[in-house]
Amino acid sequence: MWSVDPRTGQQREQVGLEATAADVDAAVRAAEAAREQLADRAARTALLRAAAAQLEAAGEEIVRTADAETALGEARLRGELARTTGQLRAFADEAEDGGHLGVIIDHADPSLTPPRPDLRRYRIPLGVVAVYAASNFPLAFSVPGGDTASALAAGCPVVVKAHPDHPATSELCAAALRRAAAEAGLDANVVSVVHGFEAGVELVQHPLVAAAGFTGSVRGGRALFDAAAARPVPIPFHGELGSLNPVVVTRAAAEERAESIGAGLAGSMTLGTGQFCTKPGLVFTPAGAAGDRLVKSLAERLAQAPEGIMLDARMREAFADGVASRSRLAEVQAPVAAGRGGNGGVTAGFLTVPAGRLADGGEEYALLLEECFGPVTVIARYQEPAEVSAALQRLGGSLTATVHLGDGEGRESGGEAARLLAELRPRAGRLLVNGWPTGVAVAPAQHHGGPYPATTTTSTSVGATAIERWLRPVVYQDTPEALLPPELHDDNPLRLPRRVDGRREEPAAG
């Protein structure tokens, strides 16, 4: 495995070798052997906090290496490192709290019809989790990222299939996590890394792998999803595949603040050279003078935008080809052309199309309803709101959907604003009003997922509830207390939040 500088295309260093089937088997079996150690919530809490500290201690080298492999810039990567360590500490808090165990106790009640036996429910970890690292976030969605953090918090050891665009960064992060495991008194094999395409296939098919998390392309993710389902014992595959993230600008919003919406769109769609999974890829803008002002503002900002470097040469070519194939469609125009730039970079731009073509233009226009990874967006100009509604019917699922409303449109529960949100809700996991979707806050209420192809399940990969992906419920019925796990004892020795006989109980201080 070679580390490559995307700015020059030159190899930097050989990081290691692609893992063989035997290497993958050894990594998974070592993770399974270390699994029992993660049953101790205190130990995994210590691991997650130590991991954050170890990454911070090695931060300068990690950021420098990640920039050399991704060209994302050291300022952006320092922010991503802070997000990553914050994520680890947040999941440490979740593990320590114990609420994710979902303890429910219903004592026996023979007076009910039918009589109720003694039932005690909680969640247990699934087992070894395979994590497939993302290209565009070498820290927050890669080796030390949210999938790894949430799986460890749940009590699941992790084997990460590193992304080939940042193998050296992956090894540095893996070393930090393994040092943290040793510091917490755990086997370092609670986290390990393998490299190579075949390793990814072997990993999802390994009989000891109990679940998988993936962030990447529709093509690659769907192949792994199908492999996970085709196993003799299928496993959960939590994949984030592709997202268009539609935006609807109402006529009132365009009339009130066309210039600021255009400027905001330019900033959002070019963030990270357009390589964010939440980039707005389709924007419905009204025809007429107000919409023209918005488009002009966007064009002025993009014309001044510097060329950007994409994560690798393959993505650069796919971006240029994707823009060119969309530009060839009838009635599609490119006021600011996106595509290949000089010195290995790309230029940002946008396409325009009458919104009616998206609904009645035939299958060829379906291309405009697919994600084009990179700094380009499609502006669909509509005459009437009905054209937006018809086009939305053809959209697949997205991570986000956004509406920009006029000042008075959000002040009542009915009307156009409510109708738009109702139309967008079935198509996205996060709805935004008067904002931009790039940027995913790490918070308990966050949801980063959406209908297919945005994700393959209904779960989130960001926020506290991500931990639930790696757990399954178990119920004990009429079981003597001596045989119950301590989480289900009446006296609550672990001081867990729980629900007993229909009432919420918080643990006593101690």
Side-chain angles (χ1 to χ4, degrees):
M1 292 300 300
W2 284 89
S3 171
V4 176
D5 185 339
R7 294 180 175 96
T8 64
Q10 300 300 307
Q11 293 179 336
R12 297 178 59 253
E13 60 175 317
Q14 184 176 351
V15 175
L17 300 173
E18 293 193 8
T20 64
D23 294 331
V24 173
D25 180 64
V28 174
R29 291 186 183 280
E32 174 66 20
R35 176 181 170 186
E36 191 60 32
Q37 296 183 16
L38 288 175
D40 183 346
R41 280 191 303 124
R44 59 186 190 257
T45 297
L47 163 62
L48 291 163
R49 290 180 178 145
Q54 288 286 347
L55 288 167
E56 287 169 345
E60 285 303 314
E61 184 181 9
I62 289 172
V63 166
R64 186 168 58 250
T65 303
D67 179 53
E69 290 188 309
T70 66
L72 290 174
E74 292 192 8
R76 142 76 194 271
L77 290 164
R78 287 192 185 93
E80 189 178 333
L81 178 61
R83 173 199 176 93
T84 303
T85 57
Q87 245 175 187
L88 287 160
R89 292 188 173 104
F91 279 113
D93 292 342
E94 286 297 314
E96 185 173 54
D97 173 77
H100 65 283
L101 298 174
V103 176
I104 303 174
I105 297 174
D106 289 323
H107 291 104
D109 189 343
S111 70
L112 296 177
T113 304
R116 184 176 72 198
D118 186 273
L119 299 170
R120 297 167 188 245
R121 182 187 196 271
Y122 80 139
R123 298 189 187 111
I124 63 173
L126 290 174
V128 178
V129 168
V131 170
Y132 293 81
S135 62
N136 55 343
F137 282 84
L139 305 176
F141 283 82
S142 291
V143 172
D147 285 356
T148 298
S150 58
L152 292 173
C156 297
V158 173
V159 179
V160 184
K161 190 274 182 188
H163 197 279
D165 279 352
H166 45 260
T169 305
S170 297
E171 286 295 329
L172 287 173
C173 292
L177 296 186
R178 289 169 71 86
R179 288 193 301 271
E183 182 181 327
L186 299 170
D187 188 330
N189 290 311
V190 295
V191 180
S192 58
V193 169
V194 294
H195 297 271
F197 176 82
E198 291 300 328
V201 177
E202 292 287 341
L203 193 55
V204 79
Q205 295 176 336
H206 197 287
L208 291 179
V209 168
F214 172 91
T215 303
S217 69
V218 173
R219 181 180 178 184
R222 184 56 194 254
L224 291 170
F225 174 73
D226 291 346
R231 291 169 38 133
V233 179
I235 60 171
F237 184 89
H238 301 284
E240 180 188 321
L241 310 187
S243 186
L244 193 61
N245 307 303
V247 178
V248 180
V249 181
T250 68
R251 192 170 297 279
E255 289 172 351
E256 290 174 12
R257 56 182 198 282
E259 288 75 15
S260 65
I261 293 174
L265 173 58
S268 184
M269 60 163 284
T270 59
L271 191 62
T273 317
Q275 296 171 117
F276 275 45
C277 53
T278 51
K279 180 203 76 177
L282 175 64
V283 183
F284 292 94
T285 301
D292 291 344
R293 285 166 39 221
L294 190 158
V295 170
K296 180 182 178 183
S297 173
L298 173 64
E300 290 172 348
R301 295 297 181 114
L302 293 184
Q304 299 169 7
E307 290 186 11
I309 301 294
M310 294 195 72
L311 294 162
D312 62 36
R314 176 184 57 82
M315 291 183 190
R316 176 179 183 252
E317 292 307 306
F319 168 69
D321 291 346
V323 171
S325 61
R326 289 162 172 79
S327 300
R328 286 193 290 268
L329 294 170
E331 297 188 73
V332 171
Q333 298 179 346
V336 178
R340 298 177 186 85
N343 301 316
V346 296
T347 58
F350 66 98
L351 306 171
T352 63
V353 65
R357 295 288 77 77
L358 299 181
D360 61 19
E363 287 305 310
E364 61 181 342
Y365 284 88
L367 185 61
L368 297 175
L369 305 180
E370 298 176 6
E371 179 184 21
C372 186
F373 194 66
V376 68
T377 194
V378 174
I379 307 296
R381 305 295 301 271
Y382 67 89
Q383 298 287 345
E384 300 294 337
E387 293 177 338
V388 177
S389 298
L392 289 176
Q393 294 299 319
R394 297 190 67 190
L395 292 190
S398 283
L399 295 167
T400 73
T402 301
V403 290
H404 281 268
L405 303 174
D407 200 33
E409 290 183 297
R411 297 181 181 178
E412 55 184 35
S413 58
E416 178 72 3
R419 184 191 64 78
L420 272 175
L421 287 171
E423 286 187 343
L424 291 169
R425 186 172 58 196
R427 293 169 175 80
R430 178 162 56 105
L431 302 176
L432 296 88
V433 176
N434 293 345
W436 296 105
T438 38
V440 185
V442 179
Q446 185 59 271
H447 183 80
H448 189 61
Y452 186 86
T455 50
T456 58
T457 65
T458 59
S459 66
T460 179
S461 63
V462 180
T465 56
I467 196 172
E468 297 172 2
R469 294 175 297 166
W470 320 119
L471 300 163
R472 70 174 181 89
V474 171
V475 173
Y476 286 78
Q477 180 170 326
D478 291 333
T479 306
E481 183 161 275
L483 302 180
L484 288 171
E487 290 88 350
L488 299 180
H489 285 195
D490 276 328
D491 61 353
N492 199 9
L494 303 181
R495 298 199 299 275
L496 296 169
R498 59 187 192 170
R499 189 177 180 88
V500 179
D501 295 333
R503 295 183 178 181
R504 173 81 175 177
E505 285 188 1
E506 295 298 331

